[in-house]
Amino acid sequence: MQSTINFNVARKKPELIAPARPTPHEFKVLSDIDDQEGLRFQIPVIQFYRRNLSSKERDPVKVIRDAIANALVYYYPFAGRLREHTNRKLVVECNGEGVVFIEADADVALQHLGDSLYPPFPYLDKLLHSLPATAGIINCPLLLIQVTRLKCGGFVVATRLNHTMSDAAGLAQFLSAVGEFAREDAWPSIQPVWERHLLSARNPPCVTCTHHEYGENTSSEGNHAPPDNNNNNNMVDRSFLFTPADISALRRSLPPYLRGSSSFEIATTCTWRCRAISLSLKPKEEIGLSCLVNVRKRLNPPLPVGYYGNAIVYPAAVTTAEKLTTSPLQHAVELLRNAKSQAAEEYVKSVADLMVMRGRPCFNTRGIYLVSDVTRSGLGEVDYGWGTAEYGGPALCGIDLVPGVVSFALPYKNTNGEKGIRLTMSLPPNAMDKFINELETAMATARRSLFIRESAL
C-alpha cells in the first residue's frame, strides 16, 4: 500500500499539437461497439521511465512532443473532435485541431514515488492535469498527454483517452508509433487501420445471443456496486498481488480438467468470490462476473492488423451469491471460462446489433463485477528512446463513472521472470477489511491444501 508523497509540479500552459503535415478533413463513423454508453468516458493511463545515460542529452518533452505530431499524421482522427448524429451515433470530424499537450517538471525522483509502481497513485492529479473544460466526450480533444520531467532524469507520460476512440490495445498501438518516431524511425511499423464498419450492426439488426452484461435476465434487487458507491471519497482503493506461487497453489486446488486455466482466470475468480463474501449479499441475489475479451483474433477473418478501435466485448458469467460463496473455486472458474468462450463472431455481431436496437446502453451495473485484463495491453512496452516503462497501464484502480464495479488485472513479473497478476479493487472501508481477510483466508487454505498433498506424495 502506497503512502502519500508530497512534491511540487510546475506546469507550462497547455497547448494543442496538430499533425506535423496536412491531413484529410473528413468525417469518420465510429463502430457500434465504440460508441456504446459504457465507453463514453475518459480513461487515464500512466507510464514511468527511468533515466537512460545513452539518452541524457535528449529532452523527453521535446522528443515526445515532436513524435506526437508525426504520429498524428497517420492517426489523424485522434486530432479531430467527436460529433453526435441521429440516434446518438458518434462520428469523428477529422479537422486537425490537435491533442492537448502539457509540459511539466516535478521536484521529485522516480525512486521517491513509492517502492512499487502500481495503482492507486495518490499523486495522479499532479502528473495528469484534469483540465475540466477539455474532459467532455463530444466536441472536446480526444487525447490529453502530460509529460513530466523528474529531477533524477526520468520522466512520466500520463495520457487521458476518450475511450470511444480506442481500447487499451489501440492506445498502446498509437503510443508505440509515437515511440518509434521518438526513436527517429521514418514511419510506424504497424500502419493504422480505421475500418470501423467491421464492428457495426447488421442490416437489419438482430440480437441472437443472451447478453447478461447489458441487463438481460438480471435481478431487480441486485446492488450495482458496494454501498456508498455514490461518493468516491467513501471508497478505499487497493491492489492485490497474486504471485506465481499463489497462482500455483490455487491452480492445484482445481480438478485436473481446469488446471490449464490462465493465471487471469484463476486470480479473477478468486477475487470475485472474496468480493461477494465481503459485500454480504442476499443469498438468492443474482450476480455476475464480466471480463473484457479482445476479439481481434476471434473473428473470421480476424480484424486487420493495425485496427485501433474498441475490439472488446464483455460476456458475463452469472450465478447466485449463495452458490458462488459456498461452492469451491472450480464453480467460478467454470462459469468464467464458459462465458469467455461465447466471445466469438456471432456474439460480437449480436452486441453491435443490440447497441442499435436498444439505444447504445451502458453495461449492466446491477450485481455485475467487471474486470479488464490489461496484462498484455502493451502499454508497458512502449519505448520513447529511454527503454520500456517501469510501469505502463491504468492510472486508477477502477472507473470513476461506476466506482466499485470495475477492476484491472495488471501484469507482474518477479526477479526470476515468473509471471503473476496484480488486481485492483475499490470497496468501502468495512467491505475492504472483510475482503482482505477473505482473500488471506482463501490463499492460506490453498497453500495448506497444497502442502498436505505434496507431503502425502
Side-chain angles (χ1 to χ4, degrees):
M1 192 172 180
Q2 300 180 357
S3 58
T4 302
I5 300 158
N6 293 316
F7 60 92
N8 298 308
V9 172
R11 297 189 190 94
K12 297 233 176 133
K13 184 178 179 180
E15 58 185 295
L16 286 174
I17 298 180
R21 300 192 299 276
T23 55
H25 188 159
E26 59 188 3
F27 291 84
K28 287 184 172 289
V29 179
L30 268 62
S31 81
D32 291 313
I33 299 294
D34 288 323
D35 62 6
Q36 59 186 287
E37 185 64 33
L39 295 179
R40 296 188 183 207
F41 67 94
Q42 305 277 355
I43 187 162
V45 303
I46 194 164
Q47 299 161 306
F48 297 85
Y49 292 88
R50 292 196 179 278
R51 178 189 182 194
N52 187 325
L53 292 177
S54 66
S55 300
K56 65 180 180 179
E57 302 301 324
R58 307 179 77 207
D59 175 10
V61 170
K62 181 181 185 331
V63 167
I64 295 173
R65 181 196 285 116
D66 292 345
I68 291 170
N70 284 314
L72 286 174
V73 173
Y74 297 83
Y75 290 84
Y76 62 89
F78 276 132
R81 301 292 183 267
L82 282 181
R83 315 300 186 201
E84 190 172 57
H85 288 192
T86 307
N87 297 325
R88 305 186 68 225
K89 188 66 199 169
L90 294 182
V91 177
V92 186
E93 181 181 359
C94 302
N95 55 16
E97 286 190 37
V99 305
V100 179
F101 183 84
I102 301 172
E103 174 183 349
D105 291 276
D107 62 354
V108 68
L110 184 61
Q111 60 266 32
H112 297 142
L113 292 179
D115 296 332
S116 300
L117 294 170
Y118 52 82
F121 301 106
Y123 44 78
L124 177 62
D125 60 339
K126 298 183 179 184
L127 299 178
L128 183 60
H129 190 27
S130 62
L131 278 181
T134 70
I137 299 302
I138 311 298
N139 306 322
C140 285
L142 301 173
L143 281 170
L144 181 151
I145 301 173
Q146 177 174 326
V147 181
T148 305
R149 304 180 192 92
L150 305 177
K151 70 177 186 179
C152 60
F155 61 95
V156 180
V157 179
T159 303
R160 190 191 69 198
L161 166 72
N162 184 323
H163 206 333
T164 63
M165 287 293 291
S166 293
D167 55 17
L171 176 61
Q173 182 181 309
F174 168 72
L175 293 177
S176 293
V178 173
E180 289 174 323
F181 282 111
R183 302 195 309 274
E184 302 182 343
D185 289 356
W187 52 75
S189 59
I190 298 176
Q191 292 297 308
V193 174
W194 184 260
E195 303 298 334
R196 303 296 171 100
H197 67 276
L198 295 174
L199 293 181
S200 288
R202 295 169 286 200
N203 187 16
C206 179
V207 177
T208 55
C209 301
T210 300
H211 297 285
H212 297 289
E213 68 272 27
Y214 293 108
E216 292 187 8
N217 302 329
T218 50
S219 168
S220 61
E221 297 181 358
N223 296 319
H224 87 78
D228 299 326
N229 69 291
N230 292 326
N231 187 344
N232 284 4
N233 294 327
N234 290 332
M235 306 298 282
V236 177
D237 292 338
R238 291 282 303 271
S239 67
F240 298 88
L241 175 62
F242 289 79
T243 67
D246 293 334
I247 297 294
S248 177
L250 289 169
R251 179 175 279 115
R252 293 291 296 274
S253 73
L254 299 172
Y257 70 94
L258 288 176
R259 289 180 186 171
S261 302
S262 69
S263 296
F264 168 78
E265 290 166 344
I266 292 170
T268 298
T269 49
C270 179
T271 302
W272 180 34
R273 191 172 181 276
C274 294
R275 177 182 181 274
I277 296 172
S278 74
L279 293 175
S280 302
L281 303 174
K282 296 177 181 178
K284 302 304 179 185
E285 191 169 307
E286 192 173 78
I287 59 175
L289 171 64
S290 188
C291 292
L292 268 69
V293 178
N294 184 333
V295 300
R296 283 171 171 79
K297 297 181 179 179
R298 288 176 174 245
L299 305 182
N300 185 21
L303 290 176
V305 174
Y307 186 93
Y308 62 102
N310 288 283
I312 51 175
V313 294
Y314 19 95
V318 176
T319 186
T320 64
E322 181 178 47
K323 182 69 173 174
L324 175 65
T325 57
T326 60
S327 298
L329 183 62
Q330 74 178 78
H331 171 66
V333 174
E334 286 180 314
L335 286 174
L336 176 57
R337 286 169 66 90
N338 289 338
K340 287 175 63 180
S341 70
Q342 298 174 36
E345 180 151 2
E346 184 59 33
Y347 193 89
V348 177
K349 291 179 178 178
S350 182
V351 171
D353 292 351
L354 181 148
M355 290 299 135
V356 172
M357 295 176 70
R358 289 180 49 189
R360 312 185 194 285
C362 186
F363 54 83
N364 177 32
T365 56
R366 299 189 68 83
I368 291 284
Y369 172 49
L370 194 153
V371 182
S372 176
D373 181 5
V374 294
T375 55
R376 291 178 287 182
S377 69
L379 291 166
E381 282 70 61
V382 175
D383 180 0
Y384 300 106
W386 281 258
T388 56
E390 291 297 302
Y391 170 83
L396 299 173
C397 282
I399 296 175
D400 287 343
L401 182 70
V402 281
V405 173
V406 179
S407 290
F408 294 107
L410 311 172
Y412 165 82
K413 184 185 292 185
N414 66 16
T415 54
N416 296 324
E418 297 172 316
K419 295 181 179 179
I421 297 277
R422 186 178 286 280
L423 269 158
T424 65
M425 181 62 67
S426 296
L427 288 170
N430 290 342
M432 181 63 79
D433 290 342
K434 199 170 179 181
F435 174 82
I436 293 170
N437 181 65
E438 290 297 332
L439 185 58
E440 289 175 348
T441 300
M443 292 312 310
T445 300
R447 293 190 199 101
R448 184 167 56 251
S449 298
L450 178 59
F451 175 77
I452 292 172
R453 284 195 298 270
E454 290 180 342
S455 298
L457 295 178

